[in-house]
Amino acid sequence: MKIAVTYEEENIFQHFGHTEQFKLYEIENGKVQSTDILQAGENGHGALAGYLKDHGVEVLICGGIGGGAKNALKEAGIKLFGGVVGNADKAVADFLENKLAHNPDVSCNHHGEGHSCSDHA
């Protein structure tokens, strides 16, 4: 299994559509076998779901995420664990131990020039 985490300086980046990189974790027998950094490139919001699917990602851990991106991930068959903050490695370890604190109703809403990402529905 492959897990992707929106990533910046060891931590979970808090806006899925603006992340510049993902940390990928290759999981085998419930343990991290290897990690790699994947540059997001010019992919934005909805296109990132296909990009992650093309890299074999089955699970995404992130902070805030908008409705369109959530739908794109669902269509790509990628399980979303949003509203997560803190260290990326710890989040993956918690996920593997079935104790990752996340919010299934995480949202990121755009309003004109500004936007807000929240882990509250």
Side-chain angles (χ1 to χ4, degrees):
M1 166 176 42
K2 281 190 183 174
I3 299 172
V5 179
T6 53
Y7 190 71
E8 182 179 61
E9 297 178 4
E10 306 297 322
N11 291 309
I12 299 165
F13 186 73
Q14 291 300 300
H15 190 297
F16 172 75
H18 289 225
T19 192
E20 294 182 7
Q21 56 188 318
F22 295 94
K23 187 167 184 180
L24 295 182
Y25 298 79
E26 182 75 41
I27 309 300
E28 196 172 298
N29 297 321
K31 297 186 185 208
V32 175
Q33 298 301 309
S34 64
T35 63
D36 195 14
I37 301 298
L38 177 65
Q39 298 301 317
E42 297 297 317
N43 295 291
H45 294 86
L48 285 170
Y51 184 67
L52 292 174
K53 183 178 181 177
D54 289 346
H55 284 85
V57 172
E58 298 172 50
V59 172
L60 171 70
I61 297 172
C62 69
I65 186 168
K70 287 186 347 185
N71 289 337
L73 289 166
K74 185 176 182 180
E75 288 176 14
I78 297 172
K79 294 178 185 170
L80 171 64
F81 293 84
V84 183
V85 297
N87 181 273
D89 292 348
K90 180 169 180 353
V92 170
D94 287 349
F95 172 82
L96 294 173
E97 295 175 9
N98 293 316
K99 60 181 188 178
L100 178 65
H102 73 285
N103 180 353
D105 297 320
V106 66
S107 65
C108 188
N109 299 306
H110 294 265
H111 300 286
E113 292 181 18
H115 70 274
S116 67
C117 292
S118 168
D119 64 358
H120 300 41

